[in-house]
Amino acid sequence: MNKIIQVANIAPQTTKEQMQTLFGFIGKIDDIRLYPTIDLAMQVTCKICFIKFHDSSNVSTAQHLTNTVFIDRALVIIPFMESEIPDEQRGLELLTSGTLLPGIADPKLPQHVTSQLEGFPPHQVVGTYDPKLAEAHLPMYPPLPNNYDGRKIEEIRRTVLVANTDKELSPQIILDHFNQCGEVKYFRLCTRDNDPLGYALIEFTEQPSLLEALKQNGVPLGSQAIKVYHATQAIVKPQAKTNEAAQKEIEEAMSRQAQTILSQGIDSMTNATTPHLGAPVIKEKRRSRSRHRSRDRRRSGSRGKRRRSSSRRRVDNRYRSRSRERVSRRRSRSRDHYKRRSYSRSPSRSRKSRSRSSKREDKKKSSTKKHKERKKDREKDREKDDKRERDRGKDEKRDRDEKREKDRDEKRDNGKDKEEKRREDRKEKNGRREEKDRSKDREKEDKVREKERIKEEVSQNGKE
């Protein structure tokens, strides 16, 4: 059973204790919450309260206080159908959504369209009355559950259900047809389980457009005649992003952008430090190689000439045939040697290219290491700053404590001094009193002695 009631149209100066006192006469209250709990930046014109009773029978009793004037407002009390009291965000949404007040027109609907609670608790429903529907001989609004908030009810009262739509028709044709009745705000095709008919929910921007849409009942659209009814549920809209979600997305985008900027900076640093292929430095190296090659070829040519001249001398001698064979062998050897040399240069090139790539990788690694080290240094600096701030806070706290201790000691010393002064004053007063008492005693003694002396003189005179 429901144990929670929603109290709306509460004066802004009302306190939680006042509401607890008012509804505490009905029955024991388990929990009570009055929203907003703090003063907001916006101007609050009214408050909303949720009260959870210990006994569910108190809910129906509390509803009899509806229209009771409290401070300067007539309270509106309806049962809250959820099992738990909503949090402040949900309560403020209900407060700002235009929660229904019995017999009062919804501010977003025309003035002649009014909504009110009908029936008796716990079977109350929200009934909406539009006199123009009766004048046009159109069906009246169906009742809705009383736990719907005002915004949802207002959306439903601007929505129609279109049944028996031709499934071969495109959604744009249906939308264009109903745009003739008024501006369409939301449109959604829908189906039902085990139902071959096609359905569509259409929410209009203005409530008067709904009357024109209801007149389309029975009008052929495509190959079938459509049926138009009042909707009993609102179109489910995509939830708007909260400020926190939007802030998270912005932070993620900023972090991605920062990462791309960092990577571009690292690449530019590595490109600046490592030479590219086709750079003028490498061209110079190629030139130097070509020079070496030309020198080698010249040397090999001069060697060949020398060998040829020596062979001719030998030919002049008696060993012509042998020298020719030797010359041919030497030529083949020199060619083989030249080929071997030329072939041996290719692995050196690959080694140099490998060394260049390894240098680039090393420079990239060193740049990334430097970046990480800088990052670590920044984090260390931040930690040091935080530590300094903490130490400052601790030092300030110690100074405050020491100051307090000094003040206390001074107060104690002042108290002791005052006590000592009081004691001295008391001693002085007591000493003065004692002196007075002594002087009085002395005077008395002197008087007694005078009297005795006078008596003795009188007695002596009498004897004489």
Side-chain angles (χ1 to χ4, degrees), residues 197-212:
L197 298 178
Y199 295 92
L201 283 170
I202 300 172
E203 182 182 331
F204 292 96
T205 306
E206 301 294 335
Q207 188 269 344
S209 304
L210 181 130
L211 279 71
E212 298 297 327

Side-chain angles (χ1 to χ4, degrees), residues 43 46 48 112 147 159 182 199-200 271 284 294 306 362 392 422 426:
Q43 189 176 3
C46 63
I48 190 168
H112 62 273
N147 61 334
T159 308
Y199 295 92
N271 292 332
E284 288 177 2
S294 62
R306 288 171 188 172
D362 294 336
R392 285 175 189 169
R422 286 174 187 171
R426 286 173 187 171

Side-chain angles (χ1 to χ4, degrees), residues 229-243:
Y229 307 102
H230 287 288
T232 56
Q233 61 183 11
I235 295 175
V236 179
K237 283 88 172 175
Q239 289 184 354
K241 290 180 181 178
T242 60
N243 292 333

Side-chain angles (χ1 to χ4, degrees), residues 336-386:
D336 294 337
H337 182 68
Y338 179 71
K339 285 180 182 177
R340 285 172 191 167
R341 273 191 169 183
S342 62
Y343 285 130
S344 66
R345 279 172 191 160
S346 60
S348 65
R349 289 178 189 171
S350 62
R351 285 171 191 167
K352 287 180 180 178
S353 62
R354 286 174 190 168
S355 65
R356 287 173 198 153
S357 61
S358 63
K359 284 178 182 177
R360 287 174 196 161
E361 289 176 358
D362 294 336
K363 286 179 180 178
K364 283 183 181 178
K365 288 178 181 177
S366 63
S367 62
T368 52
K369 283 179 181 178
K370 286 178 181 177
H371 181 66
K372 287 180 180 178
E373 288 174 358
R374 288 173 187 168
K375 209 172 184 180
K376 287 179 181 177
D377 294 336
R378 288 172 189 166
E379 289 177 355
K380 286 179 181 177
D381 293 336
R382 287 174 188 169
E383 288 176 358
K384 286 179 181 177
D385 294 335
D386 294 337

Side-chain angles (χ1 to χ4, degrees), residues 96-228:
T96 56
S97 64
T99 307
L100 282 176
L101 304 178
I104 298 176
D106 194 300
K108 296 181 183 179
L109 294 175
Q111 291 295 324
H112 62 273
V113 181
T114 58
S115 299
Q116 60 183 4
L117 293 172
E118 297 177 353
F120 297 96
H123 303 292
Q124 282 184 320
V125 293
V126 177
T128 305
Y129 178 70
D130 185 0
K132 291 189 177 181
L133 288 173
E135 291 173 5
H137 302 287
L138 295 172
M140 303 300 289
Y141 282 116
L144 297 174
N146 64 348
N147 61 334
Y148 283 2
D149 59 51
R151 184 185 298 171
K152 189 173 183 180
I153 291 171
E154 189 262 339
E155 289 176 0
I156 294 170
R157 296 315 189 197
R158 290 187 283 105
T159 308
V160 293
L161 174 66
V162 183
N164 199 30
T165 57
D166 190 354
K167 293 184 177 181
E168 295 180 358
L169 289 176
S170 65
Q172 189 61 41
I173 294 172
I174 301 171
L175 186 60
D176 293 339
H177 179 78
F178 280 95
N179 263 325
Q180 299 173 4
C181 304
E183 184 184 355
V184 175
K185 191 174 183 180
Y186 290 100
F187 172 84
R188 179 162 292 183
L189 294 173
C190 47
T191 57
R192 289 180 179 175
D193 296 335
N194 302 323
D195 193 344
L197 298 178
Y199 295 92
L201 283 170
I202 300 172
E203 182 182 331
F204 292 96
T205 306
E206 301 294 335
Q207 188 269 344
S209 304
L210 181 130
L211 279 71
E212 298 297 327
L214 291 172
K215 292 177 183 177
Q216 301 298 317
N217 187 29
V219 174
L221 184 63
S223 61
Q224 298 173 186
I226 59 173
K227 297 179 181 178
V228 185

